[in-house]
Amino acid sequence: MSEQPRRHFASDNYAGICPEAFAAMAEANAGHEVSYGNDPWTAKAANLLRDIFETNCEVFFVFNGTSANSLSLASLCQSYHSILCHEMAHVEGSECGAPEFFANGTKVLLLPGPAGKIDPNCIQRAVNKRTDIHYPKARALSLTQATEVGTVYSLDELKELAEVARHFDLRIQMDGARFANAVVSLGVTPKDLSWQAGVDVLCFGGTKNGLAVGEVVVFFNPDLAREFDYRCKQGGQLASKMRFLSAPWVGMLQDGAWLRHAAHSNAMAKRLEQGIRDLPGIEIPYPVQSNAVFARIPDPAIEAMHQRGWRFYTHIGGWEESRLMCSWDTTPEDVDAFASDLRAFLS
Ligand SMILES: Cc1ncc(COP(=O)(O)O)c(C=O)c1O
């Protein structure tokens, strides 16, 4: 057997900082700079984002995905509204009620759909279920791209969802913690997958793509961004030394590192799927379309792999599958070592 694993498949949050982000952070560390976002790094990162999305969007750098989702959703809703999301969504199950908290009680309503994706027919059902004054009025549709189970909404699927959302006057928020993985998976442009697909506000994830910390809230509809700076400040998301949140984005965006890292982690997930899918007792329930592989693994093999030193989540969120996440720094050797250990335990 090989040596103890050094990298794991538990989460793309386990990985360190990618070299491009690290170098930009080091460069930003020279001397003094103006605070609270009025610095040249933040201006440069914001302009790079406008170039990448090919539009004059409003951007806000925040610390993490929970705040990006919660504050953006709060900006779309009044307290008497509701937010529709998939029943597996991070905003529902992994944010400790933060969207409802920051939106002052806005109710989150759950929609089903196969492979982690919302079924458009369920939107209509949810909106029409109750239209009386006693029930919160549906106002926002939250889509996760790539989804919690590593699948990706196609452009056609998004188009259909956007049409239904428009029909019911719902604004669209996208949880893009793994937006980069979705962009490279589909081979489309960032604009195709965001404002041209009807997205009003995107939470563009950086942490899972190689930053130490940080996501950007990108408003394509400037009216919705009104006073969002105050919301960030009140929510504890206005970084005083903002350049250390924004400079790493410059490092990631200026020469396409964000796309290279996402393409790499997606490719590692494909390799992992190929390495384990035919092993006895393994089932892969969802198509592998980003950097996640969900696998049903017999319990004794899970136990043996954990004992061997591999870390990965099992039964995450009460689901049956183990979740195997690849990162920007996952190597082919890591993947092959994992597959080979699993093969050994299953045969
Ligand atoms: C789909 C999704 N959205 C958002 C997040 C961001 O969460 P955090 O607040 O931990 O940065 C995550 C992280 O696991 C996620 O998987």
Side-chain angles (χ1 to χ4, degrees):
M1 278 211 177
S2 53
E3 60 193 26
Q4 278 279 310
R6 286 179 50 235
R7 281 175 291 273
H8 296 277
F9 293 91
S11 172
D12 32 10
N13 285 334
Y14 271 42
I17 307 170
C18 68
E20 297 84 355
F22 207 89
M25 177 103 94
E27 210 185 310
N29 197 31
H32 282 206
E33 250 341 318
V34 186
S35 52
Y36 296 109
N38 296 311
D39 62 278
W41 285 101
T42 304
K44 189 167 179 189
N47 285 332
L48 280 166
L49 285 157
R50 291 183 190 114
D51 290 347
I52 279 166
F53 286 101
E54 301 178 60
T55 189
N56 194 19
C57 44
E58 297 273 350
V59 301
F60 301 86
F61 298 90
V62 298
F63 290 101
N64 59 26
T66 299
S67 60
N69 280 332
S70 310
L71 297 177
S72 61
L73 285 166
S75 75
L76 305 185
C77 297
Q78 298 290 337
S79 56
Y80 48 83
H81 284 141
S82 63
I83 298 160
L84 309 182
C85 70
H86 193 274
E87 58 197 2
M88 287 173 155
H90 200 265
V91 296
E92 145 66 9
S94 302
E95 300 190 352
C96 197
E100 294 94 328
F101 174 77
F102 282 108
N104 293 316
T106 303
K107 195 174 170 74
V108 173
L109 298 177
L110 308 183
L111 306 183
K117 299 187 204 176
I118 293 174
D119 172 350
N121 296 318
C122 296
I123 299 176
Q124 179 163 358
R125 237 171 283 138
V127 175
N128 287 338
K129 184 177 157 209
R130 291 269 301 270
T131 49
D132 58 81
I133 193 75
H134 305 283
Y135 198 65
K137 188 174 192 296
R139 189 62 170 137
L141 176 66
S142 177
L143 302 173
T144 311
Q145 177 77 316
T147 71
E148 297 300 326
V149 294
T151 52
V152 167
Y153 287 100
S154 69
L155 289 186
D156 282 345
E157 287 170 328
L158 288 176
K159 192 166 164 232
E160 194 180 351
L161 287 162
E163 270 165 22
V164 181
R166 213 169 303 122
H167 179 76
F168 290 112
D169 196 23
L170 304 176
R171 286 147 182 179
I172 300 183
Q173 182 260 9
M174 181 173 274
D175 174 351
R178 299 184 184 86
F179 181 76
N181 301 88
V183 167
V184 296
S185 174
L186 292 171
V188 297
T189 64
K191 103 176 148 179
D192 291 333
L193 208 52
S194 54
W195 59 276
Q196 286 207 331
V199 173
D200 293 297
V201 53
L202 167 70
C203 298
F204 182 13
T207 313
K208 290 161 176 51
N209 196 214
L211 298 191
V213 59
E215 323 277 297
V216 196
V217 181
V218 185
F219 284 92
F220 300 107
N221 176 342
D223 294 342
L224 299 175
R226 215 171 137 248
E227 298 181 351
F228 194 73
D229 44 353
Y230 288 90
R231 205 179 276 285
C232 285
K233 175 66 190 178
Q234 188 184 50
Q237 295 297 316
L238 178 65
S240 44
K241 292 187 178 178
M242 180 70 90
R243 72 185 190 277
F244 296 112
L245 278 193
S246 57
W249 278 102
V250 173
M252 289 292 260
L253 298 175
Q254 67 191 353
D255 72 344
W258 70 289
L259 294 170
R260 284 197 302 280
H261 292 317
H264 174 81
S265 58
N266 286 4
M268 291 300 99
K270 270 279 170 215
R271 186 182 181 107
L272 182 57
E273 181 204 10
Q274 278 153 14
I276 66 171
R277 77 165 313 128
D278 294 330
L279 298 179
I282 297 293
E283 264 181 77
I284 310 281
Y286 307 115
V288 175
Q289 295 174 331
S290 61
N291 62 329
V293 181
F294 279 72
R296 295 196 184 121
I297 305 176
D299 283 341
I302 291 176
E303 179 62 29
M305 290 293 277
H306 282 170
Q307 294 234 337
R308 170 88 183 92
W310 290 107
R311 293 195 188 172
F312 55 95
Y313 289 110
T314 60
H315 310 297
I316 192 170
W319 310 332
E320 215 184 313
E321 301 84 20
S322 295
R323 188 188 78 161
L324 306 169
M325 299 297 304
C326 296
S327 308
W328 67 269
D329 66 345
T330 303
T331 65
E333 292 75 26
D334 298 330
V335 170
D336 296 350
F338 183 94
S340 147
D341 283 348
L342 188 56
R343 187 176 309 113
F345 291 128
L346 284 170
S347 48

